[in-house]
Each structure stands twice: as structure tokens, then as C-alpha cells.
Amino acid sequence: MSERPILEKVGSVEFYVGSAKQWAFMHQKAMGFRLLGYAGPETGVRDRVSYLLEQGDARFIFTSFLDPDDFVGKHVHLHGDGVKDISFTVQDMDETVRSIEERKIIKPAKVQKIKSENGSILTSSIPTFGETVHSLVDLGEYESDLPPGFVEVQDDTKSKGIKRIDHIVGNVEEKRMDEWVNYYIKGLGFNQLMSFDDKDISTEYSSLQSKVVEYNNRKIVFPINEPAWGLKKSQIQEYLDYYKSPGVQHFAFLTDNIIDTVSKLKKSGIEFLKTPAAYYEDLEERVGKIHEDIDKLKELDILVDRDEYGYLLQIFSKPIGDRPTVFYEIIQRRGAISFGKGNFKSLFQSIEREQAKRGNL
Ligand code: FE2
């Protein structure tokens, strides 16, 4: 089997949403993404509109439908606004497809060559949990920063400090986490980074299990959650009930200055989960000395956790769309490679307060 990585990194992430224009506008104005391109009827795309945005290395495409009965329309009707495609860039499509086929778990779609005035790209795709897919994209000698079908848009939106996607979390059905972990490990050659069970992640009420897979020196990191039994409904089950299938739960965006990034995001209206004041009282006893001013972290609701390599700072948004499904995390790593296990309890209690407001706890 091929020793070289067959996947390079996450290319772009495509959401299917009810109004791509509004999602793009919100990500520009509130999240600090710069609009790069547009595709739609004006550019020769007849059935949909898409907006491509970028901040640091994070690239998002928001796509909406023009005909409610088409594929995108049906997806949005069933799932609400959500993530359809987490694409991977690849160096050599033939080698990637051959290598995936040799593993005999996943069958990639037939490779297609998409031509445009900027050259051609090769694409294929593989299915993953729920209706989510991974496009495989080989850019080859392609000469544009925009995918075929997109036209350039001028936009001077300033970054709010997001550098790239740190990890993308999937929620899958109860008792199916191991199946999906194996899909990535056996089907694509990912490695397992760590796992958590209900001893780590449970509150009085609800619980979940999680395993983390990574690829290519952690360029691609996917924690995968499944619901576990608690006294009341797991937040993962609430997600599954509203998304109507497994799917992407959250994106963690990496920043070098979480205080600055979160201050800007809050100022522009992004809503984050609250942290109880008590969390900060014994923070230094729990995580040791940190560079940041604890009063500032408290003011912004930023959480801190430490592992054997260092510490991390993180905060979680409320759901980004209408349904309690996909949300964002902002994370700054000062050495730590983990995901904030020490914060799970306070985080989940905070999520549960929101869940209770929705009458789902
Ligand atoms: Fe996370």
C-alpha cells in the first residue's frame, strides 16, 4: 500500500443552506471571512447559487437551491442548514483512488475532469456519515484560486484572526462510532489520536462517547461522537433528532490570539455559550500558570485546559443556524494537542442549559 499520504488536507467545506446570500453575508460581517467568488445563473450555473469565502486557510462554500425539488432543496428541507461536503485536496488522483480501492472498504465515485478557461481539475468523491460526502480534488496545473464556475468578487473584509480549521467533529448514531472510526482508519489510513468515554464526558443527565482520528500529521483531524445513555437526552441525540441523520456537529477554528478573535466576534454579534463564574475561581489550581489574564478570560467566557504537552484555550458558539445542529468553536493552542477534556463537564452543562430552554432535556 502507498506510503505517501493519499490525502493532503481539507480543501473547502460546502454547506447546503436555505439562503446562501444570508449565510455568506453573516460570515463576512460577523465571522470575518472574505468573499472570494460567486457562482449562479449569471455565471452559467443554472440550478443553484454558491458563495465562496475564506479566512486564513479555512474555505467555506455556501450553496442554496433555485428549485425546491432538486437535490440541494431536498437536502435543506430535510436537514436544515448543514454541512454537505468536506473536501480533501489530493496530489495525484489516480494514486489516491487506487490506494482507497486497494483498501476495499470505500468505493470512490468515477473520476471526472472538469474543464474551464483556467485549465482542468480532477474530482471524485467518497460518502461518509449521513448524507455527508468528501470530495477529492486534484488541482493539477489549474491556474485559478476559484473553482470552475465561480467568478471573482472584490471584498475587503478584515480577518478576525481565524488561521485555519483545527478539527471537524461528526455526530453519528448510537453504537456506530466504532464503525465510522474504522471507516477512516481502515478505509483511508487515518490514525486514532485519542478516545473519551462516559467517565470523561458525562454530566448528571447526558453523556456521549468520542474517538478522534487524524491524518497526515494532524492536517486532518476528525473527532467522532455517538450518544450514550444518561438520565436525560444526550446533546448528540438532540442533534441527530434535528438534523434527521448523522452529520457535522462543529468546526473548531484555530487562532493565535483567542482574546482578540473572540472579542471581535462577540462585538460583531456572534453568540457564545456562557461559562459559570465559579469555573474561574480555581482555574489556576486546575490548569497551572497561564499567560492570559484570567479576568479577561472570565469576561469573554473562554475556557482553558491542559494536557501533557501544554494548554489550550477554547470557546463554543451557540448553534449557527436555526436548528440546534452545527456550531463553531474558537481554539488557541499553547502546546496542547488535545480537545479540552477537562472542560467537557462545564461545556455540556452549558449546552444542557440551552437544550432545556428548547424543551429537549
Ligand atoms: Fe472541538
Side-chain angles (χ1 to χ4, degrees), residues 186-305:
K186 295 198 175 125
L188 292 168
F190 279 58
N191 305 299
Q192 187 170 328
L193 198 58
M194 52 190 81
S195 74
F196 311 99
D197 61 21
D198 50 4
K199 286 189 292 300
D200 301 314
I201 319 177
S202 68
T203 63
E204 192 183 349
Y205 289 142
S206 70
S207 171
L208 64 81
Q209 306 208 64
S210 186
K211 285 185 177 169
V212 185
V213 292
E214 67 85 21
Y215 192 83
N216 200 10
N217 298 317
R218 301 202 293 273
K219 284 203 181 70
I220 306 170
V221 178
F222 293 161
I224 298 174
N225 299 329
E226 69 174 16
W229 287 101
L231 280 175
K232 295 197 178 178
K233 186 187 277 191
S234 166
Q235 49 152 311
I236 309 305
Q237 191 57 49
E238 190 199 31
Y239 173 102
L240 297 170
D241 291 349
Y242 277 92
Y243 199 62
K244 305 293 175 193
S245 79
V248 171
Q249 181 210 38
H250 77 262
F251 290 89
F253 296 118
L254 191 73
T255 172
D256 287 341
N257 186 344
I258 195 167
I259 289 177
D260 184 59
T261 298
V262 171
S263 299
K264 287 174 175 160
L265 293 173
K266 284 198 167 181
K267 204 168 166 211
S268 59
I270 297 294
E271 293 182 297
F272 291 94
L273 296 177
K274 295 259 180 278
T275 308
Y279 175 89
Y280 297 94
E281 279 163 20
D282 53 353
L283 183 65
E284 268 198 350
E285 282 148 54
R286 278 182 283 129
V287 302
K289 271 261 169 266
I290 57 170
H291 293 89
E292 292 73 15
D293 173 12
I294 291 181
D295 286 338
K296 192 74 196 165
L297 300 179
K298 183 178 174 183
E299 182 192 318
L300 292 169
D301 297 300
I302 294 168
L303 306 166
V304 189
D305 195 27

Side-chain angles (χ1 to χ4, degrees), residues 40-241:
E42 300 87 344
T43 74
V45 178
R46 300 306 305 169
D47 58 344
R48 54 179 77 180
V49 290
S50 297
Y51 294 81
L52 169 67
L53 297 93
E54 187 178 75
Q55 186 169 183
D57 239 8
R59 279 197 150 205
F60 278 16
I61 297 172
F62 299 110
T63 292
S64 190
F65 51 95
L66 297 172
D67 177 350
D69 293 326
D70 87 351
F71 182 72
V72 180
K74 284 183 177 152
H75 194 280
V76 174
H77 184 72
L78 179 64
H79 301 288
D81 300 326
V83 177
K84 177 63 191 178
D85 186 356
I86 301 164
S87 82
F88 297 132
T89 56
V90 309
Q91 294 287 347
D92 181 334
M93 184 64 83
D94 286 345
E95 191 186 329
T96 298
V97 166
R98 199 179 329 112
S99 177
I100 295 171
E101 282 171 346
E102 274 173 19
R103 291 174 170 273
K104 294 192 176 7
I105 309 267
I106 306 167
K107 177 112 191 69
K110 194 171 176 304
V111 176
Q112 292 192 320
K113 190 172 192 170
I114 302 173
K115 290 186 183 147
S116 79
E117 67 268 32
N118 299 308
S120 57
I121 64 170
L122 296 174
T123 68
S124 174
S125 76
I126 54 177
T128 181
F129 41 77
E131 284 200 80
T132 321
V133 301
H134 293 301
S135 288
L136 307 173
V137 183
D138 179 350
L139 291 170
E141 308 282 292
Y142 187 69
E143 280 173 353
S144 170
D145 202 28
L146 300 175
F150 281 77
V151 292
E152 194 180 343
V153 178
Q154 292 301 332
D155 176 24
D156 59 3
T157 298
K158 294 245 178 331
S159 165
K160 295 195 193 296
I162 288 170
K163 309 269 289 199
R164 64 180 179 85
I165 295 170
D166 183 88
H167 57 273
I168 305 174
V169 181
N171 283 345
V172 302
E173 306 95 323
E174 194 180 343
K175 305 258 183 279
R176 294 197 60 192
M177 174 183 68
D178 283 325
E179 201 180 302
W180 287 109
V181 166
N182 267 332
Y183 173 94
Y184 285 101
I185 291 176
K186 295 198 175 125
L188 292 168
F190 279 58
N191 305 299
Q192 187 170 328
L193 198 58
M194 52 190 81
S195 74
F196 311 99
D197 61 21
D198 50 4
K199 286 189 292 300
D200 301 314
I201 319 177
S202 68
T203 63
E204 192 183 349
Y205 289 142
S206 70
S207 171
L208 64 81
Q209 306 208 64
S210 186
K211 285 185 177 169
V212 185
V213 292
E214 67 85 21
Y215 192 83
N216 200 10
N217 298 317
R218 301 202 293 273
K219 284 203 181 70
I220 306 170
V221 178
F222 293 161
I224 298 174
N225 299 329
E226 69 174 16
W229 287 101
L231 280 175
K232 295 197 178 178
K233 186 187 277 191
S234 166
Q235 49 152 311
I236 309 305
Q237 191 57 49
E238 190 199 31
Y239 173 102
L240 297 170
D241 291 349

Side-chain angles (χ1 to χ4, degrees), residues 166-167 169 223 249-252 314 316 327 329 331 339 344:
D166 183 88
H167 57 273
V169 181
Q249 181 210 38
H250 77 262
F251 290 89
Q314 64 187 165
F316 299 86
F327 62 86
E329 171 184 353
I331 186 167
F339 301 88
F344 286 170

